[in-house]
Amino acid sequence: MPSTESNFPLVLRLTFLASIILGTIAMGVAGYWSWQRETREINSNLQIQAGFLASASQAVFDNLGNGLTPLGDLLQTINIHAHPELARAHLEKFQSRFPEVGSMAVISPDGLMLINTASAPGVVLPDFRKDGVYLDQLKSSLNNKGPYMLGPPEYGKVLKQWRFPLRYTVRDERGIPLFVLQAAIPLEQRGIYLYDLPLPPSSFIGLLREDGLQQARWPAANPDTTYGHQSPGPLAKMLRAHPELKEGLFSGYSPWTAADKQRIGAFKRLAHLPIYAYVGIPGSYIYDRWWRNNAVTLGAFLLYLAVFSYVARRVTQRERIHSSALHGLARLDNLTGTPNRTGADEKLEQQLQRATESSRPLALLYLDLDRFKDINDTHGHSAGDELLAEVVRRLETHLRQGDMLARLGGDEFIVALPGASPETAKLTAERLINTFSAPFQVHGKKLQASCSIGAAVFPEHGKTREELLKCADTAMYEAKRAGRNCFAMYETHFGATRQRRLALKEQLQLALEKNQFLLHYQPILDLKSRRIVAAEALLRWEDETGRQQSAAEFISVAEESGLILTLGEWVLNQACEQAQAWTNAGFPIRIAVNLSPRQFRATDLVDQVRSALQRTGLAPSLLELEITESTAMDDPESSIRVLTEFKRLGVSIAIDDFGTGYSSLSYLKRIPADKLKIDKSFVDGVATKLEDAAIVRSVLALAASFEMETVAEGIEEEAQMQALIELGCNYGQGYLFSRPLTPQVLTQTFFEPVSGNKEVS
Ligand code: C2E
Ligand code: MG
Ligand code: MG
């Protein structure tokens, strides 16, 4: 799988995460910005409101205060000290013009109240001449340089309610105070002196005196604790620290408000009075407003975030499932559904780990189909695929839960058997081989297949996956060499053998290039006349040192590697050339050429033979092709087809090493062979062992009934020859007559000299 694909879910997740983070940051910035905007707006509103409140209050007080001047002038015209009641009508008239005023009073500079409109004529008025607090206040009124002054709120003893006084001192020409005019403003009249501002709940407005006392406050707290006490609120604190401030903002904790103790507000000093008007609202108001203005956006954003996160989660989940499915698929073999090499490697690694941890054995079988290539070549690849799938189905029925069957590629499989000892591995392998005994139904045809199995066991043969696989593979290779369709348990020397054969394979390739191959010929004689009738071409390899290599071994290596195809063609041409040379020299003997299984199954064999005959001019009747019994019987139908073509060419056919394979008589009958070559292993005991003699006798009888001639191979003793003659064998070859010889030696030894100097080799 390309790495970009495996990274895709990660990229997707990161993209989603980045979008969520960026979205949240953007929302945070927008929220903060809007908070700042709300704060600015609220502060500026508060300042406007505080300013407005200050101007409105100032106007009310100025209006009232200024009105007292003409009233004072008027009252100077009567002797108010002697006849205070004369002032009542004026006072009441004045009062009626100012709705905020609760009562009007006139007080003499020494503190004696002369008249009070809240008190009926004749009623005794309170005497303040000995009231220190009152006298102090009065004194400050008398000393006041402004047109009027405002006293702090108190409980009006005459008016009988909380009020604050606005006082104006009437003086004579020399400035000596004559009397004080006092307008009492009840605190309830706030609608007039405190402009009713549209404010959020829990807000308050008020007037704070420079000395830290409340002048007025709305909503009114308990007057007993509010008025006449230093304000503990944040504004008073601020002004104590900065008495120079004329206007501004304040915020802080206000211990005397019932709820929403965190306050923010604005203040403004009145123009002509040492008093500040202020507006305070709950600190939470910014939040409330911000929330009101942003809730919809925020809600929409959160909804978007939720939906987006949900979608992102689903998409990444799906992507993960998809990629893990891909991951899984990448570990499965498409054709059979078993793990493939990658999957097998992972599983085997896990199984080995478990085996190591639990100190239990684990057997590994390496299974390879025999001649699978031929099945592909003959029946087509789709038939091959169907066969593989069918093989897997069969194998699976013979495995236990926990065993692993995997296809490494082509026709190679492995089976891991956790917990299996070498004995169990052997039994299982044999069981698996047996499952091949019944033919497979492929494309409606019955196909016979077999397999070779090699086994290695953990921990004896290897501790790692690589070691075990290598050992099991080597063992499988040995099983193939042992004739296929069998099982081999790994043995340490297998490795060396395989190594040697691998080396041999390379040397063979070089030998071919260096022309180190040659043919020897072993005469085949008519046993009765002892005359040469044919010669078998046998391949020899002489390396640089002149040493001859064992034909049996290097030919099997050549067969395995496929080199036999080139080599075999060379042998065929060389042998035909030699036979033609002998024919030309007047010795027209038949030449026998061995065909290896691989050569025999090569599709172009018939053409090769035809062209060798044409090229050399050899009469087809002088060429005999030998195939072993097992080659012929491996796929008898196709053998019959190929051999029939040879017969058509006029070439004769011999079945080599007869008796070592398992011939089906019904097939043997149909095979168009001319000769049976009785294997040396029976010839060896033909004169001494009854069984061997019996076998040879029956082979001879069989040949006779199929009208085939017989050749005995490997005759080494006279007695053997005699026995064979007696049994009725036609021909023979063996050391008794001659070893395989070079053409020159054979010519000299077996052919009488002829007239002329004909070149025969
Ligand atoms: P084969 O076709 O059965 O050949 C007969 C083998 O028996 C030869 O061994 C021959 O030297 C040996 N032999 C003959 N008489 C005696 C005897 O009296 N005593 C003993 N002990 N051995 C005897 P060689 O040459 O080593 O070949 C072995 C096998 O290699 C052959 O068995 C044949 O199957 C194969 N072979 C040889 N040359 C070729 C070839 O050119 N092409 C192919 N495809 N196979 C070949
Ligand atoms: Mg032979
Ligand atoms: Mg033979």
Side-chain angles (χ1 to χ4, degrees):
M1 212 191 326
S3 63
T4 46
E5 216 167 301
S6 59
N7 281 338
F8 184 62
L10 182 69
V11 170
L12 201 67
R13 269 207 301 284
L14 287 179
T15 311
F16 285 147
L17 200 67
S19 324
I20 290 173
I21 291 174
L22 286 179
T24 310
I25 290 175
M27 195 61 206
V29 170
Y32 177 74
W33 179 78
S34 110
W35 179 274
Q36 295 290 80
R37 200 192 52 203
E38 295 297 347
T39 310
R40 265 197 316 275
E41 218 163 88
I42 288 170
N43 283 342
S44 110
N45 277 349
L46 282 173
Q47 273 176 304
I48 290 168
Q49 285 171 323
F52 183 75
L53 192 64
S55 321
S57 303
Q58 184 76 59
V60 171
F61 296 138
D62 280 353
N63 191 25
L64 179 60
N66 295 338
L68 289 176
T69 314
L71 180 63
D73 293 348
L74 184 67
L75 295 188
Q76 274 191 58
T77 59
I78 53 175
N79 185 356
I80 195 157
H81 291 279
H83 310 286
E85 279 305 321
L86 289 179
R88 185 174 293 272
H90 297 295
L91 292 173
E92 283 178 351
K93 190 173 172 200
F94 180 85
Q95 186 180 341
S96 69
R97 279 181 25 225
F98 295 93
E100 69 271 29
V101 176
S103 69
M104 291 296 297
V106 182
I107 301 145
S108 70
D110 60 352
L112 180 68
M113 187 175 280
L114 301 173
I115 181 169
N116 192 319
T117 55
S119 181
V123 176
V124 178
L125 290 166
D127 188 350
F128 295 111
R129 279 173 299 185
K130 298 226 164 44
D131 185 331
V133 178
Y134 188 86
L135 286 179
D136 279 351
Q137 275 207 31
L138 190 63
K139 205 178 199 172
S140 69
S141 302
L142 295 173
N143 295 337
N144 179 45
K145 295 285 176 281
Y148 61 90
M149 64 87 66
L150 277 181
E154 340 163 279
Y155 189 77
K157 292 203 175 68
V158 182
L159 190 59
K160 305 236 174 339
Q161 58 175 300
W162 279 90
R163 50 91 180 123
F164 60 82
L166 188 150
R167 297 198 184 99
Y168 169 66
T169 307
V170 182
R171 303 167 195 274
D172 62 12
E173 302 80 52
R174 288 163 297 157
I176 308 287
L178 298 173
F179 54 88
V180 174
L181 275 177
Q182 173 179 297
I185 303 172
L187 290 176
E188 287 91 273
Q189 300 297 0
R190 69 176 195 288
I192 297 159
Y193 64 83
L194 276 181
Y195 197 86
D196 238 344
L197 292 167
L199 288 171
S202 292
S203 299
F204 53 84
I205 53 177
L207 300 171
L208 183 73
R209 296 168 63 87
E210 193 181 49
D211 54 14
L213 296 179
Q214 288 288 342
Q215 184 70 36
R217 188 167 190 274
W218 182 259
N222 178 1
D224 292 326
T225 53
T226 306
Y227 303 114
H229 299 277
Q230 285 289 321
S231 165
L235 175 60
K237 266 189 216 153
M238 186 173 157
L239 290 174
R240 262 199 298 284
H242 300 284
E244 75 284 358
L245 291 176
K246 297 276 181 272
E247 60 187 315
L249 294 165
F250 67 91
S251 67
Y253 185 77
S254 175
W256 61 338
T257 38
D260 295 315
K261 289 176 186 289
Q262 194 63 36
R263 319 295 302 184
I264 53 169
F267 65 94
K268 167 110 197 220
R269 198 179 161 113
L270 270 57
H272 311 301
L273 291 167
I275 285 175
Y276 302 86
Y278 64 86
V279 177
I281 58 170
S284 59
Y285 181 66
I286 300 183
Y287 169 77
D288 291 343
R289 238 183 85 155
W290 176 85
W291 176 245
R292 244 196 336 274
N293 292 345
N294 288 280
V296 175
T297 323
L298 195 72
F301 175 72
L302 288 177
L303 187 71
Y304 157 79
L305 210 62
V307 171
F308 184 80
S309 306
Y310 174 76
V311 171
R313 233 178 88 89
R314 286 304 299 263
V315 170
T316 36
Q317 244 169 18
R318 280 190 65 121
E319 197 46 51
R320 206 174 303 140
I321 291 168
H322 180 65
S323 69
S324 73
L326 278 181
H327 179 86
L329 281 182
R331 276 144 186 78
L332 284 187
D333 175 47
N334 284 346
L335 180 66
T336 60
T338 60
N340 58 16
R341 189 178 287 273
T342 317
D345 280 355
E346 280 180 9
K347 286 208 166 167
L348 192 55
E349 206 67 74
Q350 290 163 4
Q351 287 181 333
L352 274 175
Q353 175 132 18
R354 257 175 263 142
T356 314
E357 282 161 8
S358 60
S359 309
R360 296 187 69 214
L362 181 143
L364 184 69
L365 307 183
Y366 206 111
L367 188 151
D368 189 286
L369 298 195
D370 298 330
R371 306 194 203 294
F372 181 65
K373 188 177 174 300
D374 298 342
I375 292 176
N376 265 339
D377 291 347
T378 322
H379 302 280
H381 283 264
S382 72
D385 287 353
E386 205 178 314
L387 175 70
L388 287 173
E390 190 54 39
V391 162
V392 165
R393 272 194 286 279
R394 276 201 200 172
L395 293 179
E396 273 171 344
T397 58
H398 288 84
L399 297 176
R400 297 165 313 171
Q401 182 97 26
D403 294 347
M404 176 195 51
L405 170 65
R407 180 174 171 227
L408 299 189
D411 61 341
E412 288 180 20
F413 296 88
I414 57 164
V415 180
L417 308 167
S421 62
E423 294 70 42
T424 319
K426 183 170 186 278
L427 286 175
T428 310
E430 282 167 357
R431 217 167 49 227
L432 296 182
I433 288 172
N434 279 338
T435 61
F436 284 76
S437 55
F440 292 83
Q441 274 289 343
V442 171
H443 284 3
K445 271 192 256 167
K446 278 186 179 171
L447 270 188
Q448 196 61 54
S450 65
C451 72
S452 304
I453 299 181
V457 178
F458 166 88
E460 288 100 300
H461 301 139
K463 293 203 169 55
T464 66
R465 177 172 55 84
E466 290 86 355
E467 284 168 359
L468 273 183
L469 273 170
K470 194 167 164 229
C471 292
D473 181 28
T474 305
M476 187 275 291
Y477 183 83
E478 277 307 309
K480 289 262 181 204
R481 278 203 335 123
R484 301 189 168 85
N485 194 23
C486 63
F487 159 81
M489 175 64 74
Y490 179 76
E491 285 172 35
T492 31
H493 67 85
F494 283 179
T497 310
R498 190 165 182 187
Q499 222 45 50
R500 202 183 65 237
R501 290 175 68 87
L502 277 176
L504 206 55
K505 187 178 146 190
E506 279 176 27
Q507 289 163 16
L508 273 178
Q509 186 69 46
L510 285 175
L512 194 68
E513 288 160 19
K514 291 183 186 165
N515 284 323
Q516 288 177 349
F517 293 104
L518 56 141
L519 288 180
H520 281 189
Y521 297 87
Q522 186 174 37
I524 299 172
L525 284 79
D526 179 301
L527 288 180
K528 280 189 195 139
S529 64
R530 288 231 190 175
R531 287 181 64 87
I532 182 167
V533 292
E536 179 175 3
L538 294 163
L539 188 59
R540 293 291 176 265
W541 169 21
E542 242 174 45
D543 64 15
E544 280 102 346
T545 60
R547 210 176 49 216
Q548 287 206 355
Q549 303 282 344
S550 150
E553 186 170 28
F554 82 73
I555 284 172
S556 83
V557 172
E559 169 76 7
E560 224 168 68
S561 67
L563 201 70
I564 195 72
L565 296 175
T566 326
L567 213 48
E569 193 176 358
W570 177 82
V571 169
L572 184 69
N573 280 288
Q574 187 69 21
C576 287
E577 225 166 76
Q578 183 58 55
Q580 184 58 30
W582 275 323
T583 304
N584 292 342
F587 310 113
I589 58 160
R590 184 177 284 163
I591 204 88
V593 173
N594 291 286
L595 294 178
S596 84
R598 202 152 173 169
Q599 249 181 307
F600 183 62
R601 284 190 307 271
T603 43
D604 61 344
L605 180 67
V606 179
D607 291 337
Q608 267 185 34
V609 171
R610 191 182 293 117
S611 76
L613 289 172
Q614 276 169 5
R615 203 177 62 77
T616 56
L618 186 70
S621 60
L622 290 185
L623 178 63
E624 186 162 83
L625 298 175
E626 291 190 7
I627 57 164
T628 63
E629 184 189 7
S630 47
T631 309
M633 290 302 157
D634 195 31
D635 181 358
E637 289 293 354
S638 83
S639 298
I640 291 169
R641 240 189 348 266
V642 178
L643 293 178
T644 308
E645 289 204 49
F646 286 142
K647 288 304 295 178
R648 256 188 235 128
L649 275 182
V651 170
S652 68
I653 289 153
I655 306 294
D656 205 353
D657 302 347
F658 193 79
T660 55
Y662 303 90
S663 284
S664 142
L665 290 186
S666 59
Y667 279 126
L668 188 65
K669 186 168 167 255
R670 288 173 52 208
I671 281 184
D674 304 278
K675 283 196 182 80
L676 288 185
K677 293 187 79 171
I678 304 167
D679 192 72
K680 181 177 180 302
S681 53
F682 308 110
V683 172
D684 282 348
V686 72
T688 50
K689 290 187 191 145
L690 284 175
E691 319 85 89
D692 284 356
I695 291 172
V696 172
R697 185 179 294 115
S698 48
V699 170
L700 291 173
L702 198 68
S705 72
F706 292 156
E707 293 175 344
M708 297 179 194
E709 292 186 309
T710 45
V711 184
E713 290 188 289
I715 307 173
E716 292 179 348
E717 292 161 13
E718 193 67 37
Q720 292 167 346
M721 189 194 71
Q722 287 308 328
L724 286 161
I725 293 175
E726 272 164 38
L727 287 169
C729 181
N730 314 104
Y731 306 105
Q733 67 184 107
Y735 296 170
L736 178 67
F737 313 116
S738 168
R739 288 183 173 260
L741 306 168
T742 60
Q744 293 87 342
V745 178
L746 187 138
T747 310
Q748 285 161 14
T749 318
F750 284 89
F751 302 144
E752 300 97 340
V754 286
S755 55
N757 287 326
K758 283 187 180 163
E759 194 64 50
V760 292
S761 65

